[in-house]
Amino acid sequence: MKKLILLSILSLILMPSIVGEKFGDVNEDGSINIIDVVYLFKNRNLDYEVGDINCDNSINIIDVVYLFKHYDQMREPVAFAEHFKLEPHWDNGYCVVIDSEDNKFVLLEDGGTNPNIPDAKVINAPVGKIATIFYCPTVSTADILKDASCYDSIKGTTGYVIGYSPELTTRYNEGKIADIGKSSSINYETVLNISPDIVFLGDWSSHDTMEEQLVKNGLTVSRFYTYDEPTYMGRIEWIKFSAAFWGEDKYNKTENYFQDAWKARNDILRKVYAENDYPSVTLFSWSKYKDAPGVYGSAHYYNKMANNFKGEYVFNDIPGTSFQYLDKETFYERAMDSDVCIMRHYYSNEITTKEELFGNYSTANFDKFKSLQNGRFYITKPKYYVYEAIDPAGYMMDYAKMLHPELFGGDDDLKYHNKIQ
């Protein structure tokens, strides 16, 4: 569908990235301040990835004004994530980390100066022994860094997480990592035998009970609400949180990795900037047990990413980020005529053809979908969510190709989705 929009300076939410440099550091002097604003005002002959602050394929006064209004935000160590905070003081040998429940930790490197923060728990960095309940962000960060010392510190995690990481699978088979149970019910005796320096738990209500029990047994617990982040980049930024527990070197490597992901995102945004054809997009899953389609609210990072990449999520009127099941009639009313359908398939088998789709979801009327008839129906590959965490550039490019194949060389080489033939 054709859609014309007027973007004011204040409505632009896009910022650049510079590999190896902080976003907004246009003069590349290692800091972000008013000097960068003046520099950008005087110098417009910069590379787009440096000076095109709003990703509109031009460098002009709009970029200068935006940088002036937002350079304070840009120089913060956490740019997107809303559920953790970082205060790096690596020059003094420590970093302060505040988790999703406002638990505060001082990560103190050997020879560092303890700031003696009264309400903070001091943990030596790199941390010696970790137990974690989810794949993200701790194990996914280790899989990004691929550093033996990071894997060495992970002494316990749940069985399904071990299966997600080839390195952890090998180490588990060698008896170096303990299976601590399930995400909903961990084995307390196993965790206590590990005697971890810290246990990472997520946002589930069952994790509240776990935390209470672990704390009673003298263990330190940290909570990460990774999946509650309102943006995809916010979710990815949690790699900084995890890496900080492994010290300055690992933290700096994840900062650069994050910058690479940000650059990839901005490259996509520049590519679609002038596009006025907004395809209608349905993002959903289908429960075989409930025989019902499910969607996230418009504020969820999946749907925000589709909207940011010049698509139009057909359920934009559903507020919030929470997941909900819809009755078939309500779902079909919009999904059947959607230009693009992206289906999250939570089961282990891979689906590549219409016959396989119909066989797996025989109660859904997918054969009547416009997107399937036009070759714009996509379904996730198994374990797509693992790569969503460790390959953000590749995952975002999949979305760009599914929404605008004509701009990105087609949609026949997707990494984490199958185009249903």
Side-chain angles (χ1 to χ4, degrees), residues 16-17 29 47 54 57 59 97 113 118 128 141 151 176 182 215 232 249 252 293 298 365 386 415:
S17 114
D29 67 351
D47 291 338
N54 64 352
N57 285 320
I59 301 175
V97 175
T113 302
T141 302
Y151 291 119
K176 297 177 180 178
K182 300 178 181 178
V215 170
Y232 179 60
D249 176 63
N252 289 338
S298 58
N365 295 332
V386 174
K415 297 180 73 174

Side-chain angles (χ1 to χ4, degrees), residues 72-229:
D72 280 336
Q73 175 190 354
M74 293 182 186
R75 66 184 176 191
E76 290 296 315
V78 181
F80 283 99
E82 297 183 2
H83 294 286
F84 80 93
K85 298 177 183 177
L86 274 169
E87 298 172 12
H89 299 276
W90 296 117
D91 288 346
N92 294 318
Y94 73 92
C95 180
V96 178
V97 175
I98 304 172
D99 72 6
S100 302
E101 283 291 339
D102 292 328
N103 298 308
K104 188 176 292 186
F105 305 94
V106 172
L107 309 178
L108 188 64
E109 294 191 307
D110 186 32
T113 302
N114 188 343
N116 295 314
I117 300 174
D119 57 342
K121 171 75 173 180
V122 177
I123 295 179
N124 291 329
V127 63
K129 292 188 288 185
I130 291 172
T132 185
I133 201 86
F134 285 164
Y135 178 71
C136 302
T138 305
V139 177
S140 60
T141 302
D143 280 343
I144 287 170
L145 292 170
K146 296 187 182 301
D147 189 295
S149 64
C150 299
Y151 291 119
D152 288 343
S153 70
I154 302 173
K155 300 301 184 182
T157 188
T158 51
Y160 81 95
V161 169
I162 293 170
Y164 288 165
S165 170
E167 180 64 26
L168 289 196
T169 298
T170 299
R171 288 169 177 256
Y172 174 74
N173 292 334
E174 294 172 348
K176 297 177 180 178
I177 295 175
D179 182 344
I180 63 173
K182 300 178 181 178
S183 297
S184 56
S185 57
I186 64 173
N187 186 317
Y188 292 106
E189 183 178 356
T190 301
V191 175
L192 290 173
N193 285 338
I194 294 171
S195 188
D197 299 301
I198 192 164
V199 181
F200 292 111
L201 301 176
D203 63 332
W204 293 5
S205 58
S206 58
H207 295 181
D208 297 338
T209 303
M210 293 180 194
E211 178 179 13
E212 182 179 359
Q213 185 65 32
L214 292 169
V215 170
K216 282 183 179 179
N217 283 277
L219 296 182
T220 299
V221 173
S222 178
R223 303 295 292 273
F224 54 77
Y225 293 1
T226 315
Y227 294 94
D228 293 345
E229 290 295 341

